[in-house]
Amino acid sequence: MYAPRRYLMCPPAHFRVTYSINPWMDPAKPVDLPLAVAQWEGLRDRYRALGHTVEELRPDPALPDMVYAANGATVVDGRVLGARFAHPERTGEAAAHRAWYRERGYTDVREPGHVNEGEGDFAVTASWLLAGRGFRSSPLSHPEAQEFFGRPVIGLDLVDPRYYHLDTALCVLDDATDGEVMYYPAAFSPGSRAVLARLFPHALLAGEADALALGLNAVSDGHHVLLPQAAAGLFRPLRERGYEPVPVDLTELLKGGGSVKCCTAELR
């Protein structure tokens, strides 16, 4: 039985694509802002219909990428490790996220010394913190996170620029155990693939088509798995494992390089 979760989201009131770092992002391609807002509201309302609580972060007109709320911090057991962004376009988001947590009573909020982009590159399991590196987050952020949270950090090397954050290539399906994840093997280095195979021998392995649809940029509450509707190849294997896939349409947000997980930070 899944338990209700608490999520943090930021409305895409000022969303636009301002720079390009991967094939999905093209500043020359116009964004339909009303459609982006409607898609975002559909995701928010789906969470609430499933019994989860959604908190909202006020968007800043000068920070159009704030809709990707997962990147602003990592929260484990009420402790908040803030973000330090790799690209200048997003630098101001870090302080906005830290202020939100402090205003809501979080007392242990850390401004990091090294580049990390929150839950973009940190994924929480029952015992570990899986940590991506290679395109955004600094390897030095891994020991920093381990010291702060007091739990082992497992470093994973990303090698394909299309999967620039861990949350584009791997999803934790059940954080109550250490054995349920899905991931796209080709996004990782050979050594990291070997580590994943050892840690998660029964993982759901995604194919290229579903990975390219950002099907692994998903959120699971332990039963429902909210993921892009274009990643249809994952629906059957998820059902076979006892999960309920919940397809959502975030095609306008994909233009900025993110989908379900990018728009969702978990408040643990």
Side-chain angles (χ1 to χ4, degrees), residues 158-172:
L158 298 161
V159 296
D160 185 331
R162 295 174 299 180
Y163 309 100
Y164 56 92
H165 271 158
L166 182 64
D167 71 356
T168 65
L170 180 146
C171 172
V172 176

Side-chain angles (χ1 to χ4, degrees), residues 16-31 254-257:
R16 62 188 186 277
V17 181
T18 58
Y19 63 105
S20 178
I21 55 169
N22 67 47
W24 298 291
M25 301 173 69
D26 183 358
K29 192 172 184 178
V31 171
L254 180 63
K255 293 177 181 178

Side-chain angles (χ1 to χ4, degrees), residues 9-17 31-44 56-61 63-69 250 252-253 263:
M9 300 179 68
C10 181
H14 311 287
F15 174 63
R16 62 188 186 277
V17 181
V31 171
D32 185 332
L33 184 56
L35 179 57
V37 172
Q39 290 177 347
W40 181 91
E41 290 176 341
L43 175 62
R44 178 201 62 193
E56 293 189 22
L57 174 66
R58 184 187 300 275
D60 183 328
L63 300 169
D65 288 325
M66 280 185 71
V67 65
Y68 301 124
L250 289 181
E252 288 304 300
L253 281 303
C263 293

Side-chain angles (χ1 to χ4, degrees), residues 81-98:
L81 179 62
R84 182 177 293 272
F85 287 91
H87 292 275
E89 292 87 349
R90 301 196 66 181
T91 299
E93 295 177 42
H97 278 266
R98 292 195 305 272

Side-chain angles (χ1 to χ4, degrees), residues 3-4 13 27 34 36-37 47 55 57 86 89 122-123 131 141 176 185 219 221-222 252 255-256 259-261:
V37 172
Y47 283 135
E55 307 283 353
L57 174 66
E89 292 87 349
F122 288 136
S141 70
V219 172
D221 62 15
E252 288 304 300
K255 293 177 181 178
S259 191
V260 178
K261 177 55 191 172

Side-chain angles (χ1 to χ4, degrees), residues 166-196:
L166 182 64
D167 71 356
T168 65
L170 180 146
C171 172
V172 176
L173 294 172
D174 184 0
D175 60 11
T177 71
D178 288 319
E180 289 284 348
V181 303
M182 60 179 180
Y183 67 94
Y184 177 50
F188 297 92
S189 70
S192 294
R193 290 199 299 271
V195 169
L196 287 167

Side-chain angles (χ1 to χ4, degrees), residues 29-147:
K29 192 172 184 178
V31 171
D32 185 332
L33 184 56
L35 179 57
V37 172
Q39 290 177 347
W40 181 91
E41 290 176 341
L43 175 62
R44 178 201 62 193
D45 294 345
R46 185 65 62 89
Y47 283 135
R48 289 174 173 167
L50 292 172
H52 305 307
T53 299
V54 177
E55 307 283 353
E56 293 189 22
L57 174 66
R58 184 187 300 275
D60 183 328
L63 300 169
D65 288 325
M66 280 185 71
V67 65
Y68 301 124
N71 301 142
T74 304
V75 184
V76 181
D77 297 330
R79 308 188 76 198
V80 182
L81 179 62
R84 182 177 293 272
F85 287 91
H87 292 275
E89 292 87 349
R90 301 196 66 181
T91 299
E93 295 177 42
H97 278 266
R98 292 195 305 272
W100 187 91
Y101 285 102
R102 290 186 175 113
E103 288 166 2
R104 280 150 187 81
Y106 289 84
T107 58
D108 199 350
V109 180
R110 173 74 61 86
E111 180 176 359
H114 302 287
V115 172
N116 85 75
E117 297 200 342
E119 290 191 329
D121 273 328
F122 288 136
V124 180
T125 74
S127 301
W128 308 310
L129 198 63
L130 306 179
R133 61 191 174 211
F135 297 102
R136 299 285 191 94
S137 298
S138 165
L140 296 174
S141 70
H142 297 185
E144 182 175 30
Q146 181 166 282
E147 286 298 311

